Amino acid sequence: MFTVLSAFMDGLRRVTSQPERYHVKRIAIIGAGPSGLAAAKYLLAEEAFDKIDVFDQRSNVGGVWNYTAEADDQLGQVSRTDPHQPVERPLWRDVEGEKQPVFVSPMYNRLETNIPHSLMRFSDLEFPQDTQVFPPREVVLRYLETYAESVRHLIQFSTQVVDVHLQMDGRHPRWLVRTQDIFTNVAQEATYDAVVIASGHYNVPYIPDIPGAQAWDRAYPGAMTHSKSYRSPDHFKDKVAVSAWYTLVVSSDTCLQKVIVVGNSASGVDIGNQIAEVCKRPLLQSQRQESYLDIGQSSQKFVVPEIIQFMEADRAVRFSNGRVEKNVDAVLFCTGYLYSYPFLLRVPKFVWDGQRTQHLYQQIFHITHPTLAFLALPQKIIPFPLAECQAAVVARVWSNRLSLPTEKDMAQWEDSVVKERGTGARFHNLTFPLDAEYINELHCWSLRGQPKIKGKTPPCWGEKERWMRERLPAIKKAFADRGADKYQVRSIEELGFDFEMWKVQMCPRRIERDLFCGAQEDVQRFTLEELLYMDIRLKLF
């Protein structure tokens, strides 16, 4: 069975005895979202670089956490499986008589995180004490704005990176970064020794190519959408009758929309729950495999298998079990996004198919050109602390406090992971406990950098963090079950998840096990409170 630990440590054992030294003084960071901000902080703290420039096409930090009321109504084609899309162009809106650019965000109006803020946070900044346990999107954005204060002077806003390519300067590679001002379209070029890609992977929607989808969409325009266009459930409530002379909204219990939500990830489940409140019940939630969030059947939602065919007749879809559902009013794809890098088209040995970013060591370093690094590519993770750990390693490698294996050994590492996990999306999926292992391995790797007089120390997960991570689905369900009262919940303890109490309750089993095995000396590691809980007397010592 594959473990991050085995592949990770095997890669570290192959570090060459004469490591390559990097000549990095000027660094470009593409993106001022959570991972880009973490990169800026850790690189700055290393005190080894002369220039750090952060570029972001938006006018604020936070990346996709910048909510836009505008939805992505220009998805182009129904089936979207090609990641090779052009550089994103903004929409323009009038703000007090002036045109302002808008880059559409996948955030929706009532979005809440699926991670408690005590686990989600960066290691050096807590959320405010009165924060809802699962913060809404606007609270997360304010948190990121606070986190960015110490590096905001490094950021060039409303500046889009349109091309990055390699140039050789003697024996040392350099990166030519071409940017363009969003307002003036004026282009500029600058040369850097290293580049961090922190542009995220929630821009190009993925919609699977299902037989009949194109014809179905032409027959019923607007009925098939992606979650990037979702803002609120209101659009899925009432049927709309359209003719050449009028548009009529039909509102009654018998005229509610029949809706299918495709996908059962965190966003799919949350959006499905919201739409189920207003559409014809039950909402149909289509999934290929069981969700770790355990959707279950209810009067509001019914789980069905994947769609294998769209049929124009009767406005129908066919599921993989043979069931045919007729008179479907709306299909919303919550099927994720493709990895897309329109500014990296000229990078050699950089191959990507949308499902996986290839030719990377430890999901970070370009194997042939390690002065190109990627942050926060893994999925099904806790992104903020993971980005911190990756940023710490990048900073130490580029300052020559850490070494990488040879190109051959790094390629062998990637091959070993592919052999265990395949060439597709599973390569980047680090579901628990893989994400916890990865965070702690990066932490330990970063501490190998000597001397330990500079730089930031990234987070390391202890027993409590792992305990919380393992129980995320149950914690989220307990939160949702509170109904309207959930907005007053500030901690997981209020939901019945108390780590300290859990430890005390678990003590009897641990003590009994040690005593049964005759390891009385091990009992000394328990506190007096724990021993008294078991009614174990001091005479044992």
Side-chain angles (χ1 to χ4, degrees):
M1 178 180 176
F2 169 82
T3 65
V4 175
L5 180 63
S6 61
F8 186 93
M9 296 308 296
D10 183 59
L12 291 187
R13 282 192 291 267
R14 295 176 179 174
V15 173
T16 176
S17 58
Q18 293 183 334
E20 178 180 355
R21 293 190 62 83
Y22 299 102
H23 300 266
V24 175
K25 291 299 178 182
R26 296 166 53 87
I27 301 173
I29 301 173
I30 302 175
S35 60
L37 296 175
K41 283 204 169 190
Y42 278 82
L43 290 167
L44 192 64
E46 196 71 7
E47 297 183 18
F49 312 110
D50 296 337
K51 188 174 182 59
I52 301 171
D53 288 333
V54 185
F55 301 103
D56 199 286
Q57 61 190 11
R58 291 180 170 87
S59 59
N60 190 23
V61 300
V64 296
W65 289 97
N66 286 275
Y67 172 78
T68 58
E70 294 83 358
D72 193 346
D73 295 325
Q74 305 174 24
L75 291 180
Q77 67 272 24
V78 173
S79 298
R80 291 177 65 93
T81 58
D82 182 9
H84 300 87
Q85 303 296 319
V87 172
E88 184 181 10
R89 301 311 302 162
L91 305 176
W92 291 88
R93 64 181 174 191
D94 286 315
V95 179
E96 298 179 353
E98 294 185 0
K99 292 286 187 180
Q100 295 293 329
V102 174
F103 289 93
V104 175
S105 166
M107 294 285 139
Y108 46 92
N109 187 31
R110 288 163 48 191
L111 182 141
E112 298 166 335
T113 69
N114 61 326
I115 308 170
H117 61 74
S118 55
L119 186 65
M120 177 182 184
R121 55 172 285 229
F122 289 110
S123 61
D124 58 351
L125 181 65
E126 295 184 353
F127 278 81
Q129 283 190 339
D130 63 345
T131 299
Q132 178 182 300
V133 62
F134 290 94
R137 54 168 179 79
E138 60 270 20
V139 172
V140 178
L141 179 60
R142 290 198 297 270
Y143 173 82
L144 291 172
E145 289 171 340
T146 301
Y147 182 74
E149 288 176 356
S150 62
V151 294
R152 198 176 186 95
H153 64 286
L154 304 176
I155 306 172
Q156 298 181 36
F157 293 107
S158 300
T159 304
Q160 190 173 54
V161 175
V162 296
D163 183 60
V164 177
H165 66 271
L166 194 66
Q167 291 184 327
M168 294 305 297
D169 180 8
R171 294 177 55 248
H172 308 302
R174 298 288 184 264
W175 298 96
L176 184 66
V177 177
R178 186 173 186 268
T179 60
Q180 183 170 292
D181 186 284
I182 296 297
F183 289 95
T184 66
N185 290 325
V186 173
Q188 291 187 335
E189 291 183 347
T191 302
Y192 296 90
D193 304 307
V195 176
V196 175
I197 308 299
S199 52
H201 46 83
Y202 297 102
N203 184 48
V204 177
Y206 168 67
I207 300 178
D209 188 8
I210 301 174
Q214 300 285 351
W216 203 88
D217 182 64
R218 287 193 297 269
Y220 312 108
M224 190 183 299
T225 55
H226 187 274
S227 59
K228 190 177 181 184
S229 299
Y230 176 81
R231 290 298 176 267
S232 79
D234 297 342
H235 175 73
F236 298 89
K237 182 178 180 181
D238 302 316
K239 293 189 178 183
V240 179
V242 180
S243 76
W245 298 278
Y246 62 85
T247 298
L248 176 65
V249 178
V250 185
S251 180
S252 72
D253 290 342
T254 59
C255 295
L256 298 177
Q257 292 191 48
K258 180 185 288 188
V259 180
I260 301 175
V261 172
V262 181
N264 61 355
S265 62
S267 61
V269 172
D270 186 37
I271 290 173
N273 289 338
Q274 292 186 15
I275 295 176
E277 296 173 0
V278 301
C279 73
K280 182 177 181 180
R281 297 178 181 173
L283 173 139
L284 301 181
Q285 189 106 32
S286 173
Q287 61 180 39
R288 287 189 300 176
Q289 55 190 15
E290 187 175 345
S291 171
Y292 76 98
L293 296 172
D294 188 23
I295 300 173
Q297 309 287 13
S298 70
S299 60
Q300 285 194 326
K301 292 169 61 175
F302 188 81
V303 177
V304 292
E306 65 178 314
I307 298 174
I308 61 171
Q309 184 183 7
F310 283 87
M311 298 175 287
E312 290 180 68
D314 299 320
R315 201 166 176 147
V317 302
R318 186 189 306 277
F319 299 103
S320 61
N321 62 356
R323 170 179 172 172
V324 174
E325 191 71 31
K326 299 180 180 179
N327 301 315
V328 175
D329 295 294
V331 179
L332 178 63
F333 285 91
C334 298
T335 43
Y337 296 80
L338 298 168
Y339 294 97
S340 181
Y341 311 99
F343 47 83
L344 291 178
L345 299 180
R346 293 198 282 171
V347 174
K349 292 190 176 181
F350 180 69
V351 182
W352 39 279
D353 59 5
Q355 297 295 322
R356 170 185 154 221
T357 303
Q358 303 178 27
H359 208 60
L360 298 184
Y361 177 64
Q362 299 297 345
Q363 314 239 7
I364 304 173
F365 295 100
H366 187 280
I367 290 175
T368 303
H369 303 291
T371 50
L372 180 65
F374 295 75
L375 295 192
L377 292 185
Q379 302 199 47
K380 303 184 184 300
I381 57 161
I382 311 299
F384 291 10
L386 184 141
E388 280 192 88
C389 291
Q390 290 182 323
V393 168
V394 169
R396 285 154 173 74
V397 167
W398 288 350
S399 67
N400 295 304
R401 291 207 287 143
L402 288 177
S403 301
L404 293 176
T406 64
E407 180 178 345
K408 177 181 178 182
D409 287 339
M410 288 193 286
Q412 288 179 351
W413 175 88
E414 184 185 38
D415 291 342
S416 69
V417 178
V418 169
K419 183 177 180 181
E420 293 288 346
R421 298 179 64 77
T423 60
R426 285 190 68 239
F427 184 92
H428 291 305
N429 286 348
L430 299 184
T431 53
F432 181 82
L434 296 182
D435 59 343
E437 294 174 1
Y438 184 63
I439 284 173
N440 286 355
E441 289 151 12
L442 291 175
H443 169 88
C444 293
W445 187 15
S446 73
L447 295 186
R448 295 176 60 183
Q450 297 291 336
K452 299 178 181 179
I453 58 175
K454 296 179 181 178
K456 286 172 63 66
T457 300
C460 181
W461 276 9
E463 186 179 10
K464 182 176 182 179
E465 288 79 15
R466 293 177 63 94
W467 179 87
M468 292 172 60
R469 176 68 177 93
E470 185 178 14
R471 287 158 178 76
L472 275 191
I475 296 172
K476 184 67 173 179
K477 184 178 186 304
F479 177 74
D481 288 345
R482 289 291 185 95
D485 293 337
K486 70 181 183 179
Y487 302 113
Q488 308 306 317
V489 178
R490 298 294 179 261
S491 68
I492 65 172
E493 287 77 13
E494 296 176 47
L495 297 172
F497 293 86
D498 190 314
F499 175 70
E500 297 302 327
M501 183 63 69
W502 173 83
K503 282 206 307 182
V504 171
Q505 292 173 346
M506 289 298 293
C507 279
R509 302 178 193 173
R510 294 156 60 196
I511 296 173
E512 288 173 345
R513 178 196 63 204
D514 289 344
L515 292 178
F516 180 78
C517 295
Q520 289 196 2
E521 65 277 7
D522 289 342
V523 179
Q524 297 181 38
R525 64 189 173 89
F526 297 103
T527 66
L528 179 61
E529 178 185 9
E530 293 170 338
L531 293 170
L532 290 176
Y533 184 88
M534 277 289 294
D535 196 27
I536 296 178
R537 306 303 180 187
L538 293 177
K539 65 181 180 179
L540 288 175
F541 297 100

